[in-house]
Amino acid sequence: MNIPFIDEYNWNELQQAYGTAEHAPSWISDLTSPDEDIRDEAINEFLHSQACHQYTTYSCTPPTVRCVIYILTNYTFEDEDALFNILSFIYACTYNAKTMESLRSEILKGRTCYLAFCNHKNERVKSEAQKLIEYCSEFGVNGS
Protein backbone atom coordinates (compact mmCIF):
# COMPACT_ATOMS: atom_id res chain seq x y z
CA MET A 1 0.00 0.00 0.00
CA ASN A 2 1.26 3.43 -0.91
CA ILE A 3 1.19 5.83 2.03
CA PRO A 4 1.47 9.27 0.41
CA PHE A 5 3.25 10.99 3.32
CA ILE A 6 5.60 8.22 4.52
CA ASP A 7 8.61 9.81 2.82
CA GLU A 8 8.04 13.10 4.67
CA TYR A 9 9.95 11.61 7.59
CA ASN A 10 13.69 11.13 7.85
CA TRP A 11 13.40 7.70 9.45
CA ASN A 12 17.21 7.44 9.74
CA GLU A 13 17.07 10.23 12.32
CA LEU A 14 14.15 8.76 14.28
CA GLN A 15 14.65 6.28 17.08
CA GLN A 16 12.92 3.03 18.00
CA ALA A 17 13.60 0.72 20.94
CA TYR A 18 16.81 -0.71 19.49
CA GLY A 19 18.29 2.20 17.53
CA THR A 20 17.47 4.01 14.34
CA ALA A 21 14.07 3.57 12.69
CA GLU A 22 15.52 3.46 9.17
CA HIS A 23 13.62 0.24 8.34
CA ALA A 24 10.26 1.51 9.60
CA PRO A 25 8.79 2.20 6.12
CA SER A 26 9.43 -1.40 5.10
CA TRP A 27 7.89 -2.74 8.31
CA ILE A 28 4.90 -0.44 7.90
CA SER A 29 4.29 -1.58 4.31
CA ASP A 30 4.47 -5.20 5.51
CA LEU A 31 1.34 -4.58 7.59
CA THR A 32 -0.74 -5.02 4.43
CA SER A 33 1.16 -8.03 3.11
CA PRO A 34 -1.03 -10.89 1.92
CA ASP A 35 1.47 -13.21 3.64
CA GLU A 36 0.27 -13.75 7.21
CA ASP A 37 3.79 -14.45 8.52
CA ILE A 38 5.16 -11.21 7.08
CA ARG A 39 2.19 -9.24 8.41
CA ASP A 40 2.47 -10.83 11.87
CA GLU A 41 6.19 -10.12 12.00
CA ALA A 42 5.57 -6.45 11.18
CA ILE A 43 2.99 -6.27 13.96
CA ASN A 44 4.92 -8.16 16.60
CA GLU A 45 8.54 -7.32 15.76
CA PHE A 46 8.06 -3.72 14.72
CA LEU A 47 4.87 -2.24 16.18
CA HIS A 48 4.88 -4.04 19.53
CA SER A 49 8.62 -4.41 20.01
CA GLN A 50 10.31 -1.45 18.35
CA ALA A 51 7.88 1.44 17.86
CA CYS A 52 6.29 0.76 21.26
CA HIS A 53 8.29 -1.52 23.52
CA GLN A 54 6.68 -2.41 26.86
CA TYR A 55 4.58 0.77 26.71
CA THR A 56 7.63 2.93 26.03
CA THR A 57 7.46 5.03 22.88
CA TYR A 58 10.14 6.68 20.77
CA SER A 59 10.57 9.45 18.22
CA CYS A 60 9.45 7.07 15.45
CA THR A 61 6.17 6.32 17.22
CA PRO A 62 4.12 9.39 16.22
CA PRO A 63 4.79 9.00 12.48
CA THR A 64 4.26 5.26 12.79
CA VAL A 65 0.86 5.84 14.39
CA ARG A 66 -0.02 8.29 11.61
CA CYS A 67 0.88 5.67 8.98
CA VAL A 68 -1.00 2.92 10.82
CA ILE A 69 -4.15 5.03 11.04
CA TYR A 70 -3.87 5.73 7.31
CA ILE A 71 -3.64 1.98 6.67
CA LEU A 72 -6.59 1.21 8.97
CA THR A 73 -8.64 3.82 7.15
CA ASN A 74 -7.74 2.70 3.62
CA TYR A 75 -7.17 -1.05 3.84
CA THR A 76 -9.57 -3.84 4.77
CA PHE A 77 -8.12 -6.42 7.13
CA GLU A 78 -9.66 -9.85 6.70
CA ASP A 79 -7.41 -11.12 9.50
CA GLU A 80 -9.23 -10.05 12.68
CA ASP A 81 -6.27 -10.95 14.88
CA ALA A 82 -4.05 -8.61 12.87
CA LEU A 83 -6.64 -5.86 13.12
CA PHE A 84 -6.94 -6.34 16.89
CA ASN A 85 -3.17 -6.32 17.33
CA ILE A 86 -2.77 -3.15 15.28
CA LEU A 87 -5.45 -1.37 17.31
CA SER A 88 -3.86 -2.65 20.52
CA PHE A 89 -0.54 -1.15 19.37
CA ILE A 90 -2.20 2.26 19.13
CA TYR A 91 -3.80 1.77 22.54
CA ALA A 92 -0.45 0.75 24.07
CA CYS A 93 0.93 4.06 22.80
CA THR A 94 -1.66 5.99 24.81
CA TYR A 95 0.29 5.43 28.03
CA ASN A 96 3.15 7.68 26.94
CA ALA A 97 0.92 9.90 24.81
CA LYS A 98 -0.42 11.55 27.94
CA THR A 99 2.93 13.34 28.23
CA MET A 100 4.18 13.16 24.61
CA GLU A 101 2.13 15.77 22.76
CA SER A 102 3.15 14.77 19.22
CA LEU A 103 2.09 11.18 19.84
CA ARG A 104 -1.15 12.19 21.54
CA SER A 105 -1.98 14.42 18.58
CA GLU A 106 -1.58 11.56 16.09
CA ILE A 107 -3.67 9.18 18.21
CA LEU A 108 -6.45 11.75 18.62
CA LYS A 109 -6.54 12.36 14.85
CA GLY A 110 -7.57 8.73 14.45
CA ARG A 111 -10.92 9.04 16.23
CA THR A 112 -13.00 8.71 13.05
CA CYS A 113 -10.97 5.63 12.15
CA TYR A 114 -11.62 4.03 15.55
CA LEU A 115 -15.34 4.77 15.26
CA ALA A 116 -15.43 2.61 12.13
CA PHE A 117 -14.45 -0.40 14.25
CA CYS A 118 -16.79 0.20 17.22
CA ASN A 119 -19.46 -2.03 15.68
CA HIS A 120 -17.09 -4.67 14.37
CA LYS A 121 -18.33 -8.27 14.56
CA ASN A 122 -15.19 -9.30 16.46
CA GLU A 123 -15.59 -8.43 20.16
CA ARG A 124 -11.85 -7.92 20.71
CA VAL A 125 -11.61 -5.48 17.80
CA LYS A 126 -14.72 -3.66 19.00
CA SER A 127 -13.40 -3.43 22.56
CA GLU A 128 -10.02 -2.06 21.47
CA ALA A 129 -11.68 0.54 19.25
CA GLN A 130 -13.97 1.59 22.09
CA LYS A 131 -10.98 2.03 24.42
CA LEU A 132 -9.40 4.33 21.84
CA ILE A 133 -12.63 6.34 21.55
CA GLU A 134 -12.68 6.70 25.35
CA TYR A 135 -9.06 7.88 25.26
CA CYS A 136 -9.98 10.51 22.67
CA SER A 137 -12.89 11.63 24.84
CA GLU A 138 -10.52 12.18 27.78
CA PHE A 139 -8.90 14.91 25.70
CA GLY A 140 -12.15 16.44 24.52
CA VAL A 141 -12.11 14.90 21.05
CA ASN A 142 -15.74 13.87 20.63
CA GLY A 143 -16.73 14.95 17.12
CA SER A 144 -16.56 12.74 14.07
Side-chain angles (χ1 to χ4, degrees), residues 64-77:
T64 298
V65 167
R66 182 180 179 206
C67 292
V68 166
I69 290 170
Y70 180 86
I71 290 169
L72 288 172
T73 303
N74 294 285
Y75 181 82
T76 301
F77 283 90

Side-chain angles (χ1 to χ4, degrees), residues 71-113:
I71 290 169
L72 288 172
T73 303
N74 294 285
Y75 181 82
T76 301
F77 283 90
E78 301 296 327
D79 181 346
E80 293 174 347
D81 287 334
L83 179 56
F84 166 77
N85 286 318
I86 291 170
L87 288 169
S88 70
F89 155 73
I90 298 172
Y91 189 71
C93 293
T94 65
Y95 291 93
N96 277 353
K98 291 178 181 176
T99 58
M100 187 179 187
E101 188 176 334
S102 61
L103 178 56
R104 181 174 59 246
S105 175
E106 293 302 337
I107 294 170
L108 295 177
K109 289 176 190 173
R111 186 180 187 282
T112 301
C113 171

Side-chain angles (χ1 to χ4, degrees), residues 10-39:
N10 189 347
W11 296 96
N12 293 338
E13 294 179 6
L14 298 175
Q15 294 297 305
Q16 46 98 336
Y18 302 103
T20 180
E22 66 186 291
H23 299 293
S26 177
W27 284 111
I28 292 167
S29 73
D30 285 349
L31 293 171
T32 59
S33 173
D35 185 315
E36 182 179 353
D37 291 334
I38 291 172
R39 190 174 53 250

Side-chain angles (χ1 to χ4, degrees), residues 46-58 61 89 92-93:
F46 178 66
L47 294 182
H48 285 284
S49 296
Q50 295 177 31
C52 182
H53 180 69
Q54 297 178 346
Y55 301 102
T56 301
T57 56
Y58 305 88
T61 311
F89 155 73
C93 293

